Amino acid sequence: MVAFALTFATTPASVLGTVFFQQQQGLSAGTTGFLFAPFSIGVVGGSWLGTRLLDRLSGRWVAFGAFGVVAGALVIGLIALRTGSTAGFAMSLAISGTGLGAASVAATNAGTSVVGETDHGIASGLLNTAPQLGSALGTAVISTVALGSGATDLPSGIFVALGAAVLGTAATLGLGGPRVTAGTNGVR
């Protein structure tokens, strides 16, 4: 659920960022692409940071904090959309990427640590599928909210993404639960 909610909240914000930069701010595709570089750098840095934090904290708390960073980034993005700030929205993308990277590492760690060794492949498959579904469904839902009425309402889309981030933050509190093993019909 954490991996799903994470991409449900972050991927559509990137799509809406493209619309904001190109259609509302009048920037070229090349400049828009350049403004997304900090997001990617943030993901790499967040992944590195998340790994280091897992040496000191449980995956639950790393994911909780990182999801909070994503929610904060979406608030900054919402303010940037309302004020028309290109720099503010670019900054929100960089911060969001950092939270995404750290939360992804924590969710993957938590998702594989609660299953038996023979089930790591299944857990890994689910952990790779969940973000893909989150991206697809999040983009469909949030783009429809922001762009589907004929009038562009990017803040409404970011607000829905923020709601998903808040729910995802709450979902992190369930990480690190009981160990689950396939074939035992229950929890061990």
Side-chain angles (χ1 to χ4, degrees), residues 38-57:
F39 175 82
S40 299
I41 293 167
V43 171
V44 172
S47 298
W48 177 85
L49 179 62
T51 301
R52 298 309 171 272
L53 289 173
L54 284 172
D55 291 339
R56 295 184 172 92
L57 302 169

Side-chain angles (χ1 to χ4, degrees), residues 14 18 20 69 80 83 90-91 94 107 115 119 124 137 139 154 157 169 171 178:
S14 297
T18 301
F20 173 68
V69 168
T83 62
M91 181 177 67
V115 297
D119 297 323
S124 179
L137 292 174
T139 300
L154 300 181
T169 303

